[in-house]
Amino acid sequence: MLNFELTEEQEAFRDLCRRFAEKELAPRVDEAIENAEYPIELLKKAAAMGLLGVAAPVELGGGGAGAIEEVILMEECSRVNPNMGVPFLLEGSIVPSLIWGHGTQEQMQKYVVPMLAGEKLMSIAVTEPNAGSDVANVQTTAVQQEDGSWIINGEKCFITMGIYATWALVLARVGGAPGIDGLRFFIVDTASEGFEVRKMDMWANRPAPTTQMFFTNVRVPDENQLDAGFREVMAAFNKERIMVGARWLGHGQHAFDAALDYAKSREQFGKAIGTYQSIGFRLAEAKVDIEAARWLVYHAAYKWDTGAPAKEIAMDVSVAKFQATKMAERVTLMALHIGGGWGLVKGVLPFAQMAIDAFIAPVTVGSFEVQLRIIARQLGLKTD
């Protein structure tokens, strides 16, 4: 079945991504899950193959492609594991895009170039204990000093890949100013005095370690300020939601493929369990679910590449993200059901880990409820 009408070049790019995922990422998945560590040395290899920063400006070391290529990369990496492609999402797209879109030439050369070469990592630190979906409620503060530098105090949580970060892109409230206009990004060197990072022990997302960050009178030079704040991060989240949709699309496809193979080989009462209507129909329904998600995710990426304004594509992005994440939940739980007792035995079938990983889908980059709120408002319904 055709997923989306891709060009010959995009199909060739998909083949490249799939080979990289199967050869380089797949053999490292079990170890990454067990140790909650990512094989970051692979990022240099990925960069050399043109897989890190595929949509970044060519002059900064990127590929100059579009959102569709980013979706292809995320889908293929996630067919191995939904967490193994996360650095390509963050380090190759969302984080550097805020700098090349709103930073200075000096910032681009100092930070973006080594990131896209796979040499350095920068985490984006937005979420706080009391500011998850409510980004406007960020309480971390940045106060300017007489010498022009800034002092940052606060706490961030659920920060992906934080233990590897040389820098953190921190959203802080400037001088205690209220509202969304008081928020601004700062690039913080993680070697700074007063900075601390702690790994969070997560059930899911383990190959892409999640951390807390603490800032106690951390001094940041004025040139590390970014001309971006609330509005810019929300626009970046729009792009990220498309790629998150691709992440869970790939994961759902992986779970479906494994469940289908098992249903064809597992026999009960003298025949393969997939031939029983109760199992066959669940797999057929899952196929419909996956194809719907695929079309919606690729459509949203296509709309992004056309340069449509953020407000115009808000519906497309939220619908795609909602469908893909909901699908991942449904399909992984279906796979776990088909696996029966063996699906819960560690090292036998992958379905339990797949379901656990999918549990994080509802809360990544805007919860289900946030997406429904956006969709309702696009329908002209003033929900609160």
Side-chain angles (χ1 to χ4, degrees):
M1 182 180 296
L2 287 175
N3 301 325
F4 198 81
E5 195 65 35
L6 301 178
T7 66
E8 289 185 10
E9 292 79 8
Q10 289 168 336
E11 291 287 6
F13 181 68
R14 182 185 293 281
D15 290 341
L16 176 66
C17 295
R18 184 166 297 185
R19 290 197 302 272
F20 175 80
E22 291 177 350
K23 180 181 177 181
E24 304 293 347
L25 298 182
R28 310 294 292 275
V29 169
D30 290 343
E31 181 183 5
I33 292 173
E34 184 69 25
N35 299 328
E37 294 180 356
Y38 191 90
I40 57 172
E41 68 276 6
L42 292 181
L43 295 185
K44 284 187 179 180
K45 183 174 290 188
M49 295 174 64
L51 299 181
L52 193 61
V54 297
V58 173
E59 59 270 24
L60 296 176
I68 288 179
E69 284 77 10
E70 290 184 301
V71 162
I72 290 170
L73 175 61
M74 282 301 298
E75 182 184 358
E76 293 304 322
C77 289
S78 299
R79 287 181 70 162
V80 166
N81 179 275
N83 308 300
M84 297 299 281
V86 168
F88 300 92
L89 162 64
L90 295 177
E91 306 302 322
S93 181
I94 303 306
V95 179
S97 71
L98 283 165
I99 301 174
W100 80 60
H102 307 284
T104 64
Q105 287 296 325
E106 291 76 16
Q107 289 171 337
M108 293 180 208
Q109 293 300 317
K110 183 176 181 179
Y111 303 113
V112 175
V113 171
M115 287 174 65
L116 297 183
E119 297 170 352
K120 304 283 186 179
L121 276 75
M122 181 185 295
S123 286
I124 183 168
V126 174
T127 304
E128 297 181 0
N130 293 311
S133 296
D134 185 12
V135 176
N137 192 39
V138 161
Q139 298 300 308
T140 295
T141 60
V143 179
Q144 193 163 30
Q145 308 302 294
E146 290 184 0
D147 64 358
S149 65
W150 297 80
I151 297 295
I152 296 180
N153 283 282
E155 176 185 349
K156 300 290 184 178
C157 59
F158 299 111
I159 309 305
T160 306
M161 305 291 285
I163 60 173
Y164 306 118
T166 301
W167 310 289
L169 185 59
V170 181
L171 188 65
R173 188 164 298 284
V174 178
I180 61 176
D181 292 329
L183 297 175
R184 193 172 304 165
F185 275 110
F186 295 85
I187 300 172
V188 177
D189 190 320
T190 59
S192 300
E193 183 178 354
F195 175 86
E196 181 185 359
V197 61
R198 301 176 192 166
K199 185 188 285 189
M200 303 174 75
D201 193 8
M202 303 281 287
W203 287 101
N205 219 44
R206 290 179 62 79
T210 307
T211 63
Q212 294 171 286
M213 290 182 173
F214 301 89
F215 305 84
T216 306
N217 296 324
V218 176
R219 187 176 294 272
V220 178
D222 189 49
E223 60 265 26
N224 282 26
Q225 180 184 168
L226 207 63
D227 187 22
F230 177 84
R231 292 176 179 83
E232 290 72 25
V233 74
M234 297 311 291
F237 282 169
N238 242 356
K239 173 71 171 296
E240 187 175 1
R241 284 167 184 158
I242 299 174
M243 296 176 67
V244 165
R247 175 188 181 189
W248 297 110
L249 168 61
H251 186 53
Q253 183 69 60
H254 184 199
F256 173 82
D257 291 342
L260 181 60
D261 287 345
Y262 185 72
K264 288 179 177 179
S265 62
R266 170 68 167 169
E267 291 191 358
Q268 289 288 281
F269 305 104
K271 61 180 182 178
I273 62 173
T275 62
Y276 291 104
Q277 189 179 89
S278 58
I279 300 297
F281 278 12
R282 295 192 73 172
L283 285 162
E285 187 175 357
K287 177 64 174 175
V288 174
D289 216 2
I290 292 167
E291 292 304 324
R294 179 167 288 113
W295 276 94
L296 290 168
V297 169
Y298 277 85
H299 174 70
Y302 168 77
K303 289 292 290 289
W304 186 278
D305 284 342
T306 64
K311 285 186 177 180
E312 183 180 322
I313 65 171
M315 173 78 84
D316 300 301
V317 170
S318 289
V319 167
K321 198 265 184 181
F322 182 88
Q323 168 64 15
T325 49
K326 271 290 191 183
M327 175 275 294
E329 267 197 329
R330 289 190 290 259
V331 172
T332 54
L333 287 174
M334 175 214 66
L336 181 59
H337 175 80
I338 288 176
W342 291 112
L344 295 168
V345 179
K346 192 173 182 179
V348 177
L349 294 173
F351 302 139
Q353 184 62 54
M354 286 177 169
I356 289 171
D357 281 330
F359 287 153
I360 202 170
V363 295
T364 49
V365 201
S367 66
F368 283 167
E369 292 79 9
V370 168
Q371 304 315 307
L372 291 174
R373 184 170 183 257
I374 292 171
I375 294 167
R377 288 194 168 190
Q378 290 292 312
L379 295 173
L381 303 171
K382 295 183 178 181
T383 58
D384 54 22

